[in-house]
Amino acid sequence: MLRLSVSRDEYLMVGTEVRITVLKVNERSVELMIDAPREVNVARGKAIRKRAAEKEALRMKSAAKEDCRI
């Protein structure tokens, strides 16, 4: 794990193709710009957790339907 302090308008490089620029910082949030190739998936942790929960709910619903068929 790497923890860095950066100022507004500074950027970080992830590898040679992903550039993360700090646009704005306030008390409650940080605004970033991420420049990455289309094939690089960029998503918020919140969205990833939501998708995983939805996928699990569908899996459970499907399993419940299978149980009813037996």
Side-chain angles (χ1 to χ4, degrees):
M1 166 100 36
L2 175 63
R3 182 176 181 159
L4 301 169
S5 295
V6 294
S7 300
R8 196 178 93 217
D9 296 326
E10 283 191 307
Y11 65 90
L12 305 169
M13 293 297 297
V14 179
T16 59
E17 296 183 335
V18 178
R19 181 177 176 157
I20 303 170
T21 305
V22 179
L23 298 177
K24 186 173 159 183
V25 179
N26 64 41
E27 291 178 13
R28 300 186 71 197
S29 66
V30 176
E31 188 174 310
L32 303 172
M33 178 175 62
I34 302 171
D35 184 17
R38 287 187 182 272
E39 60 271 6
V40 174
N41 184 31
V42 178
R44 291 180 181 199
K46 185 178 184 179
I48 293 168
R49 288 187 301 274
K50 181 179 177 184
R51 278 188 236 136
E54 289 170 351
K55 188 175 180 179
E56 179 64 14
L58 285 173
R59 189 188 69 76
M60 295 295 284
K61 187 176 180 180
S62 177
K65 283 183 181 179
E66 288 296 319
D67 288 344
C68 291
R69 292 182 190 172
I70 297 176

